[in-house]
Amino acid sequence: MYKVIENISQIGELLKDLQSTNLISLDVETSGLDPHTDTLILLQLKLLNNTYIIDARKFKQLDYIIALIKETHKTVIGHNIKFDLKFLYHNTGELLLDVYDTQLAETLLHAGLSRGFYPSLSFLCKEYVGVNMDKDAREIFIDNADIILTEKELIYSAMDVNYLLKIMESQMSKIRKEDLLEVFDLEMKLLPILAQVEYEGINFLESVWMSLYGKNLDELKNSEMNAINYLLENIDISKYKNAYEFSKDLDIRVTTKKLQSELESLQTEYILEWAKKNINIKSNKQVLNHLKLLGFDVNSTGILVLKPLREKGNYIDKILNFREYEKKISTYGENFLSYINKNTGKIHCEFNQIGTATGRFSSDSPNMQNIPADQEYRKAFIASPGCKIITADYSQAELRLMGAVSGEPEIIHAYVNDQDLHKKTATFLFDVDIDNVTKEQRQKGKNLNFGIIYGISKFGLLHTFGIPIEEGEVLLYKYFQGYKVLKEFIEYAGDMVWKNLYSITPLGRKRFFEEIDLFENNKEKFKYESRVKREGINHIIQGGSADILKQAMIDIYYDNPFGEDLKIRLQVHDELVLEAKEEIVEECKDFVVKKMLEAEQPFLGEIPAKVDYSIEDYWIK
DNA sequence: CATGAAAGCGCC
DNA sequence: AAAGGGCGCTTTCATG
């Protein structure tokens, strides 16, 4: 059963229980998803076998309770607890730091498995406790801040904290069995940091963004007109009897019989006018037909296919030009303003700390990890008054880590002696002295270096860089003649991944692969085996690098001597964006860089860790 | 009309 | 034999 708490006189038993246990199951009910604009309605706590439901609208000493839990270092168990932390932080000013998240733990235990796998609370209750949770309490409270509580709401709310401890215990035994304790610990320490980062958001200067929008909107319209005009001038309209014939060839959808007959009666001289209005070059299906009419032999309109065929002023040039602006206007235009928080005026994206199979973050609402790298866009994300933005990123984190985990002496030697690794690779590829490497040769060296991390083949080199198959084959051969130990490592690691059906980062993060028994044929099996090896090897490097930046974030946060004067704002895979008080920004930068280097160095052996940084009024690399 | 897949492309 | 890793957002298009 449960006990409802509405005022201070009712907390005696709760305080007594707090002295007897270190484990608290916790959940909140709110009127919506945004801590800045929505209302905290209930806080449910389960300690030992007692469930307390605090009506946060009436109970005035919530800050006291949360501070007590925080200061006595109780472990707070929740499901997607980042959400709860943000609401509690907003309502009490206290950020709980000792947490266990059942959802995050489950994600960690299944990293890489079954796409779209979503560990909901009801799923875990069924899985670990064998209980069917018939209804989610959350929905009852949405947009219902003034709800009058009846037994129904209270029972549902109590249910949400009822099984968390049991789930945690079962998960912990799995975590130990899988030897995931260290990475688990890393994730749980990171979690509250992200709650605060998301809660605080980053300043956004709408005027900078919208002046780009205005400029790009003109460019978009021009480029669209250019493309359509070019198309209509370069295909033979006279061969079509009427507009319907033309629409079929262009694959413009004609959905009704009525429209069809109208088009059939539209004679040749009116086709152009109609076409100008109805051709949609955002439709790649249509563009593919345009290209065929213009004599290009292509089966896709993707940039990798089109780029080699691009010539200044031809249709492909015009389409690619249009697409560039279309992206800017649609994803990075007016729509983006809807992410400005009504209360704070800032952007509060979500960071999903195990948003990927490899252990990298993902970001959404908005995705702050794919904002155009142009200075002009990033200038819209600015420091608060009296503050500066520090941008700090690892230099070639993945390549350094690849050198270290493989033990490849040539890579180690290059970094130890501060050589340009891409140039060094070029010396192997083209049998030249490092001082005589041309720009083009260095570029190919770079392509190969990154390609290797991704498990590229000679076909991939053709597809991505247009390097002919024969040349690609030679380049790969020479690459591995130069980096023999790396080649051995890749082969060994691939065999291990395929044998174990998981791969593992230096910190111990695992990425799992499905066991598939039944293959239709050897071809299918070979295909899967290749994929597992490729993705598994990549996980060691990509996931290993992710571990390092996560560790750095933890060290920066928990050792921060500057308090409120230094804050993490964003994370972009190998880069941190922070904000610091102007007067002490140099010291803050030194501290951040030091912590990042210290997090990376233990994984690099002899290879020196390296961090680049900048200090500006806005986000810039 | 709603929904989901696919294509395409922004970032590291 | 297959043929570069990891994401999220926007648009079109097919389906029910």
Side-chain angles (χ1 to χ4, degrees), chain A residues 311-359:
Chain A
E311 277 167 39
K312 200 166 165 41
N314 74 357
Y315 189 60
I316 287 173
D317 187 46
K318 291 177 192 302
I319 286 295
L320 293 180
N321 198 247
F322 168 79
R323 290 225 187 113
E324 187 185 326
Y325 290 107
E326 169 59 20
K327 186 74 174 178
K328 286 177 172 171
I329 290 301
S330 60
T331 305
Y332 307 108
E334 236 175 354
N335 295 346
F336 197 86
L337 303 185
S338 67
Y339 292 115
I340 300 173
N341 188 281
K342 293 218 162 38
N343 269 21
T344 67
K346 294 176 163 185
I347 302 288
H348 302 259
C349 74
E350 303 257 350
F351 283 111
N352 183 351
Q353 66 191 85
I354 317 182
T356 69
T358 60

Side-chain angles (χ1 to χ4, degrees), chain A residues 135-144 147 152-153 156:
Chain A
K135 197 167 162 64
D136 189 358
R138 197 139 293 172
E139 294 164 20
I140 307 172
F141 297 91
I142 295 292
D143 295 326
N144 208 352
I147 187 169
K152 186 185 87 172
E153 286 84 34
Y156 282 138

Side-chain angles (χ1 to χ4, degrees), chain A residues 155-166:
Chain A
I155 287 174
Y156 282 138
S157 304
M159 206 54 83
D160 278 349
V161 288
N162 204 34
Y163 303 112
L164 292 172
L165 184 59
K166 280 188 182 165

Side-chain angles (χ1 to χ4, degrees), chain A residues 9-68:
Chain A
S9 70
Q10 298 167 312
I11 65 168
E13 285 175 56
L14 171 59
L15 292 179
K16 215 174 120 212
D17 281 347
L18 271 170
Q19 290 178 345
S20 325
T21 179
N22 287 316
L23 295 171
I24 303 173
S25 299
L26 177 148
D27 187 35
V28 299
E29 302 304 335
T30 66
S31 67
L33 301 177
D34 179 4
H36 293 286
T37 54
D38 295 313
T39 307
L40 177 65
I41 300 172
L42 299 180
L43 167 64
Q44 306 101 281
L45 303 171
K46 187 181 180 192
L47 298 85
L48 305 169
N49 274 322
N50 302 319
T51 301
Y52 301 94
I53 302 179
I54 301 176
D55 190 331
R57 300 164 301 180
K58 295 179 180 162
F59 186 76
K60 299 298 171 206
Q61 292 80 15
L62 211 56
D63 48 352
Y64 167 73
I65 299 286
I66 300 302
L68 184 62

Side-chain angles (χ1 to χ4, degrees), chain A residues 194-242:
Chain A
L194 294 186
Q196 190 169 7
V197 168
E198 291 178 3
Y199 178 79
E200 292 184 354
I202 187 163
N203 292 309
F204 178 67
L205 207 52
E206 191 179 327
S207 57
V208 169
W209 193 265
M210 289 313 282
S211 73
L212 283 173
Y213 177 79
K215 204 178 73 187
N216 289 328
L217 195 57
D218 291 341
E219 296 286 351
L220 178 71
K221 284 175 185 160
N222 280 337
S223 61
E224 182 179 25
M225 208 170 62
N226 273 336
I228 292 175
N229 284 343
Y230 179 95
L231 176 71
L232 294 175
E233 282 162 18
N234 285 277
I235 52 182
D236 182 14
I237 305 290
S238 65
K239 70 179 171 183
Y240 301 104
K241 289 197 299 285
N242 58 52

Side-chain angles (χ1 to χ4, degrees), chain A residues 1-14:
Chain A
M1 276 316 284
Y2 56 85
K3 185 177 161 130
V4 177
I5 295 177
E6 297 182 342
N7 63 63
I8 193 82
S9 70
Q10 298 167 312
I11 65 168
E13 285 175 56
L14 171 59

